[in-house]
Amino acid sequence: MSIPAIVLIGAEHPDELLSGFARYQHEYDVRLVRSCREALETTHDVLAGGATVAMYASESVVPDAETVLHAFHKLREKVPTARRVVAAHWDRFLTDAPGLRPGMAAGKYDAFLLMPRGTRDEEFHNAITDLLSDWGSTVPDPEVVSVKIVSPVRDALTLGIRDFLDRMGMPSRVYPPDSDGGRFVLDMWEGEPAYPLVYALNRPVVHARTVRDVAITLYGAPTELDLDHVVDMAVVGGGPAGLAAAVYAASEGLSTVILEAEAIGGQAGTSSMIRNYLGFPRGISGMRLAQRARNQALRFGARFYTGQSVDELRPGRDGDPHVLCTDSGEVRARSVVIASGVAYRKLRVDPLEELVGMGVYYGAAMTAAREMEGQDVFVVGGGNSAGQAAMHLARFARSVTILVRRPSLAETMSSYLINEIEYNSRVSVRTCTAVVDGGGDGRLDWLCLEDTGTGVRERVPAYGLFLLLGAEPHCDWIPDSVARDDRGFVLTGRDVPREHWRDGLPPAELATTVPGVFCAGDVRAGSMKRVASASGEGASVVPLVHAFLVPEPT
């Protein structure tokens, strides 16, 4: 396999810049150039040799470019997936920063760093390795493979399995049955092969009929583990709210179980880059944020069961524990936190619903983005998730068009994302537009778009359609005794109808109408539908659980 390149652009201090990247020369093809022209020529040579560029790192001044940002713009047109870093020399760091930092907010580059002033500048290298790790998670075929998938076709199930693995932070690769990797897995399979086959290290090969089969193979079912006793807190949902609740509850000594139907991280876990989350100045992908939170909760003793869909909540009576029912068994808990999040609303265009997984995707579908290289794709939605998906797709697709019914994005999307979209030449926005039809022979080939003001329709070629249409709660499993609003979101605190108040007082802010059952995150009525607010609610619910489990003496 060809070694990915790191291209360094250094004219004023080339030796210092090259020295700063010395530790990467063993695993990357590190090349030093003196100008934008040389960087473009080097990029051409790297691509012609069958490799790619993982990162461009430049001093804050490039001789033959108006600014370093103009140089990065030209280089991004050649390799959109490469990460872009300004490594300013210490003589210029303070003077050049004010003019360059606004470009980072517009997505023109990924990090503004101080060039290392000596060996073992771990702050610098922490930033570089984070960016290279993020780059590695986007390449179609990672070099380090945790899970091998064998399939003769890349159908919706194969793509769904790989998307689940990506969201769990497990690099995977798909192998044809007649490849070396395919034969390696088939040699461990007894009987006639049935596809897709999935092999994870130190686990038996399985024929996956659903994504859930893979989740149970990797993480087990509740009945396979010690859940005979009653736990202090059971969390339904492994998104930001559920993860925060798990971290704080487990760290305070509560026995904690988390049940997640899909992948840890929930809807936020599909975000390619979250740039406005506190404490991550260079941004962080939803997957990495979720996996770090999961590892943090595991460290404190929380237990995760992935691929476990809760079918029913049976509230406890007279001090009995609550019971969460899954088709793999039951979990009994003294308290329950509902953090099951929301699903994207359906488009409800029948021909397109039939192509879900074959060019039509609900959510960001991070894995599917790799399949869009050189294609024309569309994103429906005006929120931050849609903006993040569009920016990620632009790394691969020839063009990305955001479709919104509103006259602008300003009402629903953060300004930093709007700035990134305006700067990216591959991304465009069509306002006052709806998708009304589409189709293709076995996969998406075209869409019919309608101007919501004039009613005029236009047929356009399309290889991918990503639908991020807003929220519908995951509440089918919740009993009627837990009050909900007319849209199905769970009511808590003062939003609970007065007939459910006790002694003239409403439940606590995150408490529901059932004692011992709490709610946090997007599924809660009145929540902000943001990663940060969901995390805050997850943390805030733990003191309420404590107060319920150990009431103050009267």
Side-chain angles (χ1 to χ4, degrees):
M1 183 175 290
S2 300
I3 300 175
I6 296 176
V7 177
L8 310 178
I9 309 172
E12 294 184 347
H13 305 90
D15 294 339
E16 289 95 330
L17 184 61
L18 185 60
S19 175
F21 282 84
R23 67 168 66 175
Y24 304 96
Q25 292 178 341
H26 180 65
E27 297 183 348
Y28 292 87
D29 179 10
V30 180
R31 302 195 186 191
L32 175 67
V33 300
R34 307 299 179 99
S35 66
C36 180
R37 180 181 58 81
E38 286 186 30
L40 289 167
E41 291 172 352
T42 298
T43 298
H44 180 271
D45 293 342
V46 169
L47 298 178
T52 190
V53 178
M55 176 179 287
Y56 294 102
S58 174
E59 291 192 62
S60 53
V61 174
V62 178
D64 59 342
E66 184 177 337
T67 69
V68 64
L69 303 185
H70 286 86
F72 279 162
H73 182 69
K74 292 180 180 180
L75 294 166
R76 180 162 69 174
E77 291 178 345
K78 299 296 181 183
V79 189
T81 56
R83 301 310 187 251
R84 302 173 303 283
V85 175
V86 175
H89 190 265
W90 45 90
D91 289 340
R92 305 192 64 113
F93 184 80
L94 293 178
T95 57
D96 291 347
L100 291 176
R101 280 212 167 106
M104 190 158 49
K108 297 181 180 181
Y109 66 105
D110 298 296
F112 185 84
L113 305 175
L114 178 65
M115 194 182 296
R117 301 186 66 171
T119 57
R120 293 181 295 280
D121 184 345
E122 301 306 336
E123 273 300 307
F124 174 84
H125 294 296
N126 180 60
I128 296 297
T129 54
D130 265 0
L131 289 167
L132 289 172
S133 177
D134 183 59
W135 169 83
S137 69
T138 67
V139 296
D141 290 313
E143 295 190 38
V144 179
V145 177
S146 299
V147 182
K148 293 180 171 66
I149 305 168
V150 180
S151 177
V153 295
R154 299 206 175 197
D155 56 7
L157 176 56
T158 303
L159 186 67
I161 292 170
R162 199 171 185 198
D163 189 59
F164 168 80
L165 294 169
D166 282 347
R167 291 167 62 189
M168 294 301 298
M170 303 184 71
S172 65
R173 188 181 296 176
V174 180
Y175 298 88
D178 58 354
S179 66
D180 290 341
R183 286 189 288 269
F184 173 80
V185 174
L186 284 168
D187 286 344
M188 292 184 284
W189 177 259
E190 296 181 2
E192 287 294 317
Y195 301 108
L197 293 176
V198 179
Y199 169 68
L201 217 56
N202 301 322
R203 290 174 174 84
V205 179
V206 297
H207 169 218
R209 296 175 178 82
T210 65
V211 174
R212 186 172 179 277
D213 290 342
V214 179
I216 290 176
T217 299
L218 294 174
Y219 300 105
T223 51
E224 297 174 356
L225 300 167
D226 178 19
L227 281 179
D228 291 336
H229 63 284
V230 177
V231 299
D232 292 326
M233 187 176 85
V235 182
V236 182
L243 288 167
V247 168
Y248 285 95
S251 70
E252 295 179 12
L254 298 180
S255 57
T256 305
V257 163
I258 301 91
L259 301 173
E260 169 54 51
E262 297 180 0
I264 297 299
Q267 201 176 95
T270 68
S271 294
S272 57
M273 185 58 63
I274 303 169
R275 296 195 185 276
N276 59 349
Y277 192 78
L278 184 68
F280 296 93
R282 289 177 293 275
I284 185 170
S285 71
M287 178 273 289
R288 296 195 184 285
L289 182 64
Q291 292 309 313
R292 291 181 184 186
R294 176 178 178 269
N295 291 337
Q296 197 173 6
L298 286 170
R299 178 177 180 175
F300 292 124
R303 287 172 293 172
F304 286 82
Y305 302 117
T306 307
Q308 298 304 319
S309 179
V310 176
D311 300 318
E312 182 186 2
L313 165 62
R314 295 204 302 265
R317 306 289 182 188
D318 301 324
D320 291 337
H322 305 293
V323 179
L324 294 167
C325 304
T326 78
D327 60 6
S328 300
E330 296 182 348
V331 175
R332 294 178 297 149
R334 298 169 66 198
S335 66
V336 171
V337 176
I338 299 170
S340 50
V342 294
Y344 288 111
R345 290 202 310 269
K346 297 297 182 183
L347 184 64
R348 295 184 175 87
V349 175
D350 290 342
L352 293 175
E353 296 295 341
E354 294 173 3
L355 295 175
V356 171
M358 300 303 294
V360 178
Y361 309 96
Y362 281 97
M366 296 283 290
T367 304
R370 301 166 176 157
E371 311 290 330
M372 302 294 127
E373 189 167 359
Q375 304 293 338
D376 299 312
V377 305
F378 293 80
V379 175
V380 180
N384 280 6
S385 295
Q388 290 160 357
M391 295 305 300
H392 182 65
L393 285 161
R395 297 183 186 274
F396 306 93
R398 176 173 57 195
S399 71
V400 181
T401 305
I402 300 175
L403 305 174
V404 290
R405 289 179 173 271
R406 295 173 181 267
S408 77
L409 294 174
E411 294 179 41
T412 55
M413 190 177 292
S414 295
S415 61
Y416 82 91
L417 274 171
I418 294 174
N419 291 337
E420 287 192 31
I421 289 165
E422 290 175 348
Y423 176 74
N424 196 309
S425 60
R426 294 191 178 198
V427 183
S428 60
V429 180
R430 286 185 60 161
T431 57
C432 304
T433 302
V435 178
V436 295
D437 199 4
D441 186 12
R443 67 155 292 119
L444 181 67
D445 184 59
W446 60 273
L447 293 172
C448 181
L449 308 181
E450 180 180 275
D451 186 306
T452 58
T454 65
V456 174
R457 295 189 173 189
E458 176 187 4
R459 178 167 166 152
V460 296
Y463 192 80
L465 175 65
F466 295 80
L467 301 164
L468 298 98
L469 295 170
E472 289 183 342
H474 282 160
C475 290
D476 294 345
W477 55 278
I478 298 175
D480 292 339
S481 53
V482 175
R484 283 167 277 174
D485 67 11
D486 55 5
R487 297 173 59 201
F489 290 90
V490 177
L491 294 169
T492 60
R494 290 186 173 277
D495 291 333
V496 167
R498 280 187 171 270
E499 60 264 28
H500 294 284
W501 292 17
R502 298 193 174 199
D503 300 324
L505 296 174
E509 183 58 31
L510 300 175
T512 72
T513 47
V514 173
V517 177
F518 304 87
C519 186
D522 290 358
V523 71
R524 189 180 69 84
S527 63
M528 289 182 61
K529 311 298 186 285
R530 286 285 191 269
V531 174
S533 60
S535 300
E537 289 189 9
S540 299
V541 82
V542 175
L544 304 180
V545 171
H546 268 299
F548 172 77
L549 296 179
V550 186
E552 295 182 3
T554 56

